[in-house]
Amino acid sequence: NNLSSENVLIFVNVALPQSQKVLAKSLAKWRENEAKQKNRPRRWILSDKALLSLATLENTAMSSLVNNGKISHKMLTRYGEQWQKLLNE
């Protein structure tokens, strides 16, 4: 069930409400930039499932994603502030 970035964007365009599409696209752009800067695969920065989970968070703390295994505590510590800024835009 590995989703490519193209498939994620297709899924985003079809299955999500407009506000969540905007968030998912912002997160995907952020992930792409981080991956290029760090010379790492996109999925090492943020998996497709985690990206979609972040984009669809509604009035839920990001820490809940750690609790249900969507992201690691290390990832939340490293990127949580950046994600929060994207989600609040």
Side-chain angles (χ1 to χ4, degrees), residues 44-58:
W44 288 13
I45 302 299
L46 184 65
S47 73
D48 294 334
K49 285 184 180 182
L51 186 152
L52 290 172
S53 294
L54 282 167
T56 57
L57 269 180
E58 292 183 8

Side-chain angles (χ1 to χ4, degrees), residues 9-41:
L9 292 179
I10 290 167
F11 178 80
V12 164
N13 283 328
V14 172
L16 297 178
Q18 184 61 33
S19 61
Q20 293 176 351
K21 287 179 189 180
V22 171
L23 289 174
K25 288 178 182 180
S26 293
L27 288 164
K29 183 177 178 181
W30 168 84
R31 176 179 70 173
E32 185 68 29
N33 290 336
E34 282 291 310
K36 284 181 181 178
Q37 284 180 352
K38 297 181 186 304
N39 195 27
R40 299 278 186 256

